[in-house]
């Protein structure tokens, strides 16, 4: 699927630029895209290093385990293949909490830690996503958001009379998305496991 | 409401930075050494994502700059009016799963052009707040552990994104009218 989307964007992009007679934008756009990719990764070094340190402290203090135990009924239902006390569970819980609070910057490094822990549990081919990884990413990309911080800021800048009035509609939309994400993940997992 | 919300976002991380080291110290953890030990892996983890990010962002960037994205808008506009979606927000809906920065740029532009308290402004705000950059997240997260076969996760991600979009349109019509 990612191969198909990637190829599609590339081929259609180049062809459209050619037909429109401005083929020169392709090279420029490609280089710009590459530059942004590297820039994002470099920006991530600082924040990932920082949060990895804090995470290790939280883990050593027993905080991660405490939080994970609190939401255990939900997580054991969602991640049947992850052992209850495994560090992956703690990282997953921290990542989702940060997402719910709209703290994208804090969510990413914890999500990456969760992926590393899930990879350790991956019994299949190390280049193929495990069931738990697919569930985690379905949740991660559709997670309920209580505080959409960035867009509230944008609304404030452009003089909204009530910048937070979209919080209610956002919570509704994310709740719908998350419900469907969990169902879709289960459904596709079932279809895929039968396909083999 | 906004007071509580912004206070909560402002305090959340400082409180973590206060409590985590304090509790760790109370449990006789060597706080500095433990932090460094954990942080050691940061550089490698971040650097590992470069090839994946570059691959995805090059394709997105070419697709957008070529004008292909604009054609997609024209192509889909008849379908849009049927589901009550203003054509102005379509580029956002397409870009949202692909690139967070680009989607935020489009949302900012739409809010600026139509006004934050217009129906379109409120709708695009809800769309921006409610969805995540599915492709970016998948690329980054799978990339960081060297996974190149995503199986069905793109399908579940996009199904959820589409639901969120429809739910945003529905709830905005209900709550804000128009």
């Amino acid at each position: 699927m990612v191969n198909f989307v990637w190829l599609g964007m590339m081929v259609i992009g180049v062809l459209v630029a050619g037909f429109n007679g401005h083929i020169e934008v392709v090279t420029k756009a490609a280089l710009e895209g590459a530059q942004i990719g590297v820039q994002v990764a470099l920006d991530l070094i600082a924040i990932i290093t920082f949060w990895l340190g804090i995470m290790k402290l939280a883990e050593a203090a027993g905080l991660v385990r405490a939080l994970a135990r609190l939401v255990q009924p939900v997580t054991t239902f969602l991640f049947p293949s992850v052992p209850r006390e495994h560090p992956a569970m703690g990282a997953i819980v921290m990542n989702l909490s940060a997402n719910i609070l709209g703290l994208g910057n804090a969510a990413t490094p914890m999500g990456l830690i969760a992926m590393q822990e899930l990879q350790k549990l991956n019994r299949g081919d190390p280049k193929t996503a495990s069931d738990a990884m697919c569930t985690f990413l379905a949740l991660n990309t559709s997670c309920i958001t209580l505080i959409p911080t960035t867009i509230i800021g944008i609304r404030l800048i452009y003089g909204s009379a009530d910048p937070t009035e979209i919080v209610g509609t956002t919570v509704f939309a994310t709740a719908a998305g998350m419900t469907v994400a969990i169902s879709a993940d289960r459904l596709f997992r079932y279809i895929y496991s039968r396909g083999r | 409401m906004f007071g509580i919300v912004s206070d909560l976002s402002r305090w959340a991380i400082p409180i973590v930075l206060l409590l985590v080291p304090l509790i760790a110290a109370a449990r006789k953890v060597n706080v500095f050494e433990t932090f460094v030990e954990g942080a050691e892996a940061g550089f490698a983890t971040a650097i590992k994502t470069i090839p994946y990010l570059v691959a995805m962002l090059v394709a997105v960037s070419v697709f957008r700059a070529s004008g292909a994205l604009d054609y997609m808008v024209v192509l889909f506009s008849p379908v849009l009016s049927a589901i009550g979606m203003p054509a102005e927000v379509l580029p956002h809906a397409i870009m949202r799963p692909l690139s967070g920065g680009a989607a935020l740029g489009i949302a900012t532009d739409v809010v600026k052009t139509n006004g934050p308290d217009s129906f379109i402004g409120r709708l695009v705000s809800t769309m921006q707040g409610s969805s995540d950059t599915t492709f970016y997240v998948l690329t980054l997260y799978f990339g960081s552990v060297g996974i190149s076969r995503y199986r069905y996760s793109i399908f579940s991600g996009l199904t959820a994104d589409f639901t969120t979009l429809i739910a945003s349109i529905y709830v905005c019509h209900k709550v804000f009218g128009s």
Side-chain angles (χ1 to χ4, degrees):
Chain A
M1 181 66 187
V2 70
N3 288 309
F4 178 74
V5 173
W6 193 83
L7 188 69
M9 285 196 294
M10 212 60 157
V11 170
I12 294 170
V14 173
L15 291 181
V16 167
F19 282 125
N20 283 348
H22 52 75
I23 192 74
E24 70 284 352
V25 302
V26 171
T27 317
K28 189 164 163 273
L31 290 177
E32 269 169 16
Q35 211 152 35
I36 296 168
V38 174
Q39 193 58 53
V40 169
L42 291 182
D43 289 345
L44 279 171
I45 294 175
I47 190 137
I48 291 178
T49 305
F50 167 64
W51 280 108
L52 277 169
I54 293 291
M55 270 288 287
K56 190 81 183 176
L57 265 185
E59 208 184 297
L63 290 169
V64 178
R65 229 175 308 129
L67 182 64
R69 204 172 292 139
L70 205 66
V71 292
Q72 202 178 62
V74 186
T75 46
T76 42
F77 166 73
L78 290 170
F79 299 99
S81 62
V82 179
R84 289 178 176 198
E85 300 282 310
H86 196 273
M89 216 51 130
I92 289 171
V93 169
M94 302 277 273
N95 170 267
L96 295 180
S97 319
N99 267 321
I100 290 170
L101 295 175
L103 305 169
N105 289 343
T108 307
M110 286 167 199
L112 295 178
I113 298 165
M115 288 302 282
Q116 276 173 355
E117 294 297 335
L118 289 175
Q119 181 70 320
K120 287 180 198 161
L121 290 169
N122 188 357
R123 292 284 163 262
D125 169 27
K127 282 184 167 298
T128 304
S130 66
D131 286 353
M133 287 177 184
C134 292
T135 307
F136 174 54
L137 287 183
L139 280 177
N140 184 295
T141 54
S142 69
C143 194
I144 288 195
T145 308
L146 296 181
I147 315 166
T149 37
T150 317
I151 193 68
I152 290 175
I154 303 268
R155 295 173 57 78
L156 199 63
I157 293 169
Y158 291 106
S160 170
D162 184 1
T164 57
E165 69 181 350
I166 49 94
V167 168
T169 51
T170 302
V171 171
F172 176 89
T174 50
M178 194 165 180
T179 311
V180 168
I182 295 169
S183 321
D185 175 65
R186 282 288 155 107
L187 179 71
F188 287 133
R189 184 195 301 175
Y190 177 71
I191 294 171
Y192 262 65
S193 63
R194 276 171 55 107
R196 271 187 215 156
Chain B
M1 177 62 189
F2 188 63
I4 300 168
V5 167
S6 63
D7 279 351
L8 190 61
S9 334
R10 208 165 353 135
W11 278 86
I13 289 177
I15 284 177
V16 167
L17 295 188
L18 175 71
L19 290 185
V20 170
L22 270 182
I23 295 172
R27 302 240 166 114
K28 309 247 183 303
V29 174
N30 291 324
V31 284
F32 182 77
E33 279 128 65
T34 309
F35 182 99
V36 171
E37 195 186 312
E40 224 166 27
F43 186 78
T45 306
I47 292 302
K48 222 173 164 179
T49 63
I50 288 182
Y52 298 87
L53 284 175
V54 167
M56 194 48 88
L57 286 167
V58 164
V60 171
S61 178
V62 168
F63 190 74
R64 182 158 39 110
S66 68
L69 184 67
D70 303 326
Y71 287 131
M72 234 167 128
V73 174
V74 176
L75 199 69
F76 284 109
S77 54
V79 190
L80 298 182
S81 41
I83 57 169
M85 181 173 163
E88 287 91 333
V89 299
L90 181 66
H92 183 271
I94 296 172
M95 201 40 91
R96 193 68 181 98
L98 298 176
S99 159
L104 185 63
I106 297 170
T108 309
D109 185 60
V110 172
V111 167
K112 190 172 120 194
T113 315
N114 297 276
D117 298 331
S118 65
F119 178 73
I120 292 175
R122 287 161 164 169
L123 175 59
V124 83
S125 303
T126 304
M127 287 163 58
Q128 172 70 29
S130 62
S131 49
D132 209 330
T133 46
T134 303
F135 278 93
Y136 169 80
V137 169
L138 292 183
T139 311
L140 180 70
Y141 280 33
F142 280 141
S144 72
V145 290
I147 280 177
S148 53
R149 276 188 286 278
Y150 297 2
R151 290 169 73 211
Y152 52 85
S153 42
I154 288 193
F155 295 112
S156 20
L158 291 182
T159 309
D161 285 345
F162 187 70
T163 309
T164 308
L165 172 64
I166 298 297
S168 301
I169 296 169
Y170 169 81
V171 75
C172 283
H173 274 292
K174 279 276 174 206
V175 175
F176 303 125
S178 138

